[in-house]
């Protein structure tokens, strides 16, 4: 059994999880370098990550209560089932499917739900003009976004490096190096491709390229050498640019590029295990492809069932007035960015004209 036993559908919410009990009480001894509670916390954070991917895609127009209901069900029920197929010794693990730290099991699981959510939710007011062309709705603070990505890059060392679990020095150091190289290569590739396509030095595309490289290397970080990691990151960075353009072309509104970063690059990283590194081979590629398809069908079906039910019962989208005036005031009774209030009328007027 892979660390973190998925016993019970609601394991990560504390219901149905079987603790390792002995005659003396709870067994907290080490097993292959980690304890039960260490792994529980680690897997719990992975589960939460899958939900936060969705939150970025639905930002600025979803009701908070239905989203929290969706999160509880998706994290407490869907993620443990999906994770057990590989990390719980399930049928994909028996087939030889490989996903070291979650390109599919974490990132694509969140990404599939994200694309279903934004399809059911609809675009933000002003995102698409009458002729269907997308309009840019800029973020409020690029330096903060840059800082956030750098924090994520650092955090990924725990995400991937921690997945070694035993903290073996040789393997952990390799994972940290491949993770870092892929991130750097992803940022450079996204910057170069976006500059060639749009003739602008797009910092946001550079930032998403870094994240795409990180997601791409996650499935095989322990299998790759430095050159493999750089190639995976370069391809992931290029994929980001075309992925963001594809989402816009499909008239789907993804404010932070979550689908391109986590779903598309998650799929790429999973398939890359069959192309690069020590497991590379056509048979492994087919196994990886089968795993991607299995997760896609399961996650789309479950996310649709949850979100469509919420949409038809309590509703998932805020009113037009709430969206234009900001959810902070309506749902929390306070301004997140009061310094912007002097210009908010102009912004709202512009959005109304473009809608």
């Amino acid at each position: 059994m892979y660390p973190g036993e998925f016993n019970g559908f609601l394991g990560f919410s504390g219901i149905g999880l079987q603790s390792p009990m002995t005659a003396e009480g709870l067994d907290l001894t080490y097993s292959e370098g980690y304890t039960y509670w260490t792994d529980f916390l680690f897997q719990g954070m992975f589960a939460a990550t899958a939900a936060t991917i969705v939150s970025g895609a639905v930002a600025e127009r979803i009701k908070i209560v239905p989203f929290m209901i969706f999160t509880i069900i998706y994290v407490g029920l869907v993620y443990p089932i999906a994770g057990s197929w590989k990390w719980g010794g399930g049928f994909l693990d028996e087939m030889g499917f490989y996903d070291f730290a979650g390109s599919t099991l974490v990132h694509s699981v969140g990404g599939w739900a994200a694309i279903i959510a934004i399809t059911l939710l609809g675009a933000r007011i002003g995102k698409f003009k009458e002729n269907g062309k997308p309009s840019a709705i800029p973020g409020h603070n690029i330096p903060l976004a840059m800082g956030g990505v750098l924090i994520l890059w650092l955090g990924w060392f725990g995400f991937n490096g921690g997945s070694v679990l035993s903290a073996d020095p040789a393997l952990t150091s390799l994972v940290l190096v491949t993770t870092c190289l892929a991130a750097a290569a992803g940022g450079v590739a996204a910057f170069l491709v976006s500059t060639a396509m749009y003739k602008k030095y797009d910092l946001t595309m550079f930032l998403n390229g870094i994240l795409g490289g990180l997601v791409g290397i996650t499935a095989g970080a322990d299998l790759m050498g430095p050159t493999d990691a750089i190639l995976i990151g370069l391809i992931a960075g290029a994929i980001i640019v075309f992925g963001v353009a594809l989402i816009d072309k499909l008239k789907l509104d993804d404010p932070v590029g979550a689908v391109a970063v986590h779903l598309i690059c998650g799929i790429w990283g999973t398939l890359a295990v069959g192309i690069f590194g020590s497991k590379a081979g056509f048979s492994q590629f087919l196994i990886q492809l089968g795993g991607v398809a299995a997760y896609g069908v399961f996650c789309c079906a479950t996310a649709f069932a949850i979100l469509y039910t919420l949409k038809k019962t309590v509703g998932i989208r805020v009113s037009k007035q709430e969206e234009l005036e900001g959810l902070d005031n309506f749902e929390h009774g306070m301004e997140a960015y009061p310094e912007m209030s002097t210009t908010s009328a102009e912004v709202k007027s512009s959005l109304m004209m473009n809608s």
Side-chain angles (χ1 to χ4, degrees):
M1 207 66 161
Y2 188 88
E5 297 178 37
F6 294 86
N7 295 323
F9 290 157
L10 300 179
F12 284 113
S13 62
I15 301 173
L17 187 71
Q18 296 179 8
S19 301
M21 298 298 295
T22 66
E24 290 75 29
L26 187 63
D27 182 10
L28 297 178
T29 59
Y30 280 89
S31 175
E32 300 181 26
Y34 52 85
T35 71
Y36 169 83
W37 290 120
T38 300
D39 190 62
F40 174 79
L41 181 63
F42 204 74
Q43 287 290 343
M45 292 305 297
F46 273 21
T49 299
T52 62
I53 291 166
V54 185
S55 69
V58 300
E60 301 182 6
R61 75 269 201 209
I62 195 168
K63 292 180 179 178
I64 189 170
V65 172
F67 178 74
M68 294 306 297
I69 294 172
F70 163 79
T71 298
I72 292 169
I73 298 172
Y74 202 72
V75 170
L77 178 64
V78 177
Y79 177 85
I81 296 173
S84 70
W85 294 351
K86 164 59 186 173
W87 290 342
F91 74 98
L92 286 178
D93 187 54
E94 294 176 356
M95 288 171 51
F97 178 76
Y98 196 82
D99 190 352
F100 172 65
S103 283
T104 284
L105 274 74
V106 177
H107 297 282
S108 287
V109 166
W112 287 119
I115 200 166
I116 295 297
I118 61 178
T119 301
L120 291 175
L121 191 59
R124 290 168 292 171
I125 296 171
K127 174 60 181 178
F128 295 100
K129 300 177 182 177
E130 290 183 2
N131 60 7
K133 290 189 64 176
S135 299
I137 302 179
H140 79 283
N141 194 311
I142 294 299
L144 275 182
M146 181 73 190
V149 169
L150 293 177
I151 292 171
L152 277 172
W153 191 339
L154 178 64
W156 229 280
F157 293 144
F159 196 99
N160 284 1
S163 292
V164 176
L165 294 176
S166 64
D168 174 71
L171 187 56
T172 301
S173 59
L174 172 66
V175 168
L176 296 180
V177 169
T178 56
T179 297
C180 196
L181 289 174
V188 169
F191 176 77
L192 293 176
V193 172
S194 64
T195 300
M197 289 179 61
Y198 303 117
K199 313 303 179 188
K200 296 288 185 182
Y201 303 138
D202 191 336
L203 180 61
T204 61
M205 202 66 78
F206 170 67
L207 298 176
N208 270 342
I210 292 172
L211 298 178
L214 289 166
V215 172
I217 195 61
T218 292
D222 62 328
L223 304 175
M224 307 300 168
T227 302
D228 295 328
I230 291 171
L231 290 173
I232 290 171
L234 287 172
I235 296 171
I239 286 173
I240 285 294
V241 182
F242 296 107
V244 170
L246 175 64
I247 295 301
D248 280 345
K249 190 171 184 179
L250 295 173
K251 295 183 175 57
L252 298 174
D253 185 11
D254 181 0
V256 300
V259 172
V261 170
H262 298 280
L263 175 56
I264 299 177
C265 285
I267 292 172
W268 157 241
T270 304
L271 297 179
V273 171
I275 303 172
F276 301 100
S278 59
K279 284 186 174 290
F282 186 65
S283 60
Q284 185 66 42
F285 180 84
L286 291 179
I287 292 171
Q288 298 299 109
L289 184 62
V292 167
Y295 279 102
V297 171
F298 178 68
C299 292
C300 285
T302 52
F304 180 83
I306 300 166
L307 289 165
Y308 188 77
T309 301
L310 290 170
K311 182 176 182 177
K312 291 300 181 181
T313 52
V314 298
I316 59 175
R317 175 132 189 180
V318 299
S319 69
K320 186 175 182 179
Q321 181 185 3
E322 289 172 323
E323 184 174 346
L324 290 176
E325 294 191 17
L327 304 187
D328 301 314
N329 262 329
F330 276 90
E331 294 190 330
H332 305 290
M334 60 186 70
E335 288 276 5
Y337 310 107
E339 71 278 7
M340 297 177 65
S341 60
T342 56
T343 58
S344 60
E346 298 175 6
V347 173
K348 294 167 191 171
S349 176
S350 176
L351 289 175
M352 287 290 288
M353 291 176 64
N354 289 328
S355 64

